[in-house]
Amino acid sequence: RAPLAKALPVPSKLSSSSEDLFEQLVPMAVHQALTAYENRKNELVNSEVAKLRDATQLLNSVLASLNLPAALEDSTGQALPKSLVDKATAVQELGGINVINTMLRELPELLTRNREILDETERLLNDEKQSDDQLREQFKDRWNRIPSIKLTETFRSNMQKYRTIIDNATQADRTVRDKYEMHKRGMELLSEGPTVMAASVPHAGGGSVDNNTSSAGRLRALMEQVETMKAERDAIECELKSATVDMKETFLSALHDGNVNEQALSVETLGRAYGPLQQQVKESLGKQEGLLADIQKVNGEFVSERSGQGHAAQRREEVLKELAAAHDAFKELLNNLKEGTKFYNDLTQILLAFQNKVSDFCFARKTEKEELMKDLTRGLGAVAQAVAPNLPQHHGGIGGMTSDMKKEPPPRPPPPSTAPTSAGPPGGLPYPMQPQNMPIPYAAPPQAPYPQYAVPPMPQGYYTLPFPSGGYQPPPQQYPGYPPQYPQYPGYPPQGQQPPQNRQW
């Protein structure tokens, strides 16, 4: 007969996708080593990039103070130098000063948001610690869980690091704003365009200036070297940021050998990958020192050749210097603000993840606290039930109850001692003798545990037998030793008699 199902071999990949979900899964030791390597690499790259940018900033500030290269292009003293026109066009294409103003307004909001997240995280930790300390003070040794101060050491240490980072970022924001205020006027002129800027620059009073001297030619050559060096630095910075090395296989091999020395392996790999670039950065910084010295020397000769100009020419040169410095400040501020915005946004994500961890911790501690409190209160309730408190003395007895307070009827009193109206046999029943032919409804045993009583007589009209000649003797109104009778209501027959049923009203 044919089989109901056919066994198929298990494929190597159950999913049609070519991507393996566990391809990036590595042991914890390798993961930690990769994280440490990435931190080392980022620190190295940021350090080298910062060196290049600081050197370039210094170079631009020196050139701006010397009014270079605008002084070489300003031969007539009337029109704007070409380099300055190009700078104004570049500022307009980047959005002008309005972009700077917008980003400056956003920075305080981003800073406030990060501070609020960090403050809320700190409040959660403080509330959890305060609750734990209060309950520990209340329950003393019975509150036997780990104190919050021990469990939150890492959280509080990271929180202090984040606060330090935010404080440093605040100082950087202050520096950026100070530089903005310093070059605000020049950036506004550059943002207006060449036409408005030309009207704001004063004209030189004298005639044309000869910029074809030997000193001017050497300055032009030095300016070309400056532009070449800037281009080289941009290329070095791109290579520093784009260089990548996969260290996973290296760390896995080291783990297989039994020892993952992250520091030694990382330093060796970073030296091979970034060593040549670090050497280029060092050479560029050394080259800049010699270049600046040559520029200052040749510029002194160039200025001496133009020393015959008047006050108007000097004022024009100062404005051109200010505009050149404003252009450099605009580019620097734009980069700083972009980095600052990205920094605050990235920090927000990090702080939110940190806050989520703290929230999970506080929720777990709250659940643990509630369970422990239930156990403690349940134990207190059991102790309270086991040992009942004594009632006041006037309640007396066992457990505060006396025999007089029990819900039991009192013993019946002894029978009344009344003399019978007719002679009877001695030793009769302890209640009046029944008349002849009177049925006894209950036959009392010889020795009844309780006194027996006769049924009250039936009223006339329903009772067919005559009463005894002596008449019915009612029981006494009060038995000795028995509480007095309840008061009778008006119109109601005395106790022991039935109300008449056939009375005519």
Side-chain angles (χ1 to χ4, degrees), residues 251-266:
F251 289 137
L252 287 175
S253 300
L255 180 64
H256 184 268
D257 296 337
N259 183 19
V260 180
N261 192 345
E262 180 272 328
Q263 182 176 2
L265 294 175
S266 297

Side-chain angles (χ1 to χ4, degrees), residues 357-404:
K357 291 182 180 179
V358 172
S359 299
D360 294 341
F361 166 78
C362 293
F363 179 78
R365 291 282 288 180
K366 180 181 178 182
T367 304
E368 181 186 16
K369 177 187 71 174
E370 293 175 352
E371 294 296 331
L372 186 56
M373 289 185 65
K374 287 181 181 179
D375 295 340
L376 292 176
T377 52
R378 188 181 301 114
L380 292 176
V383 172
Q385 292 179 4
V387 181
N390 294 328
L391 294 177
Q393 186 177 1
H394 63 275
H395 289 278
I398 299 175
M401 299 293 293
T402 62
S403 58
D404 295 339

Side-chain angles (χ1 to χ4, degrees), residues 129-140 143:
K129 179 180 180 300
Q130 182 179 2
S131 175
D132 183 70
D133 294 342
Q134 181 180 359
L135 292 173
R136 190 176 303 279
E137 180 67 21
Q138 178 181 355
F139 291 100
K140 303 298 181 181
W143 196 255

Side-chain angles (χ1 to χ4, degrees), residues 347-466:
L347 183 61
T348 299
Q349 300 302 321
I350 295 175
L351 291 179
L352 287 176
F354 178 66
Q355 185 184 31
N356 291 335
K357 291 182 180 179
V358 172
S359 299
D360 294 341
F361 166 78
C362 293
F363 179 78
R365 291 282 288 180
K366 180 181 178 182
T367 304
E368 181 186 16
K369 177 187 71 174
E370 293 175 352
E371 294 296 331
L372 186 56
M373 289 185 65
K374 287 181 181 179
D375 295 340
L376 292 176
T377 52
R378 188 181 301 114
L380 292 176
V383 172
Q385 292 179 4
V387 181
N390 294 328
L391 294 177
Q393 186 177 1
H394 63 275
H395 289 278
I398 299 175
M401 299 293 293
T402 62
S403 58
D404 295 339
M405 298 290 293
K406 294 181 180 179
K407 301 297 183 178
E408 295 182 359
R412 293 189 178 273
S417 57
T418 55
T421 55
S422 59
L429 294 177
Y431 50 82
M433 297 295 298
Q434 294 292 335
Q436 296 181 358
N437 300 326
M438 178 69 181
I440 299 176
Y442 299 100
Q447 295 179 353
Y450 294 100
Q452 302 296 323
Y453 296 91
V455 179
M458 297 295 292
Q460 297 180 3
Y462 292 93
Y463 188 60
T464 55
L465 296 180

Side-chain angles (χ1 to χ4, degrees), residues 39-58:
N39 293 334
R40 293 180 186 274
K41 185 190 75 172
N42 293 334
E43 182 179 357
L44 185 148
V45 171
N46 293 335
S47 176
E48 299 300 321
V49 170
K51 291 179 182 179
L52 291 177
R53 291 183 178 181
D54 291 342
T56 303
Q57 181 181 353
L58 175 61

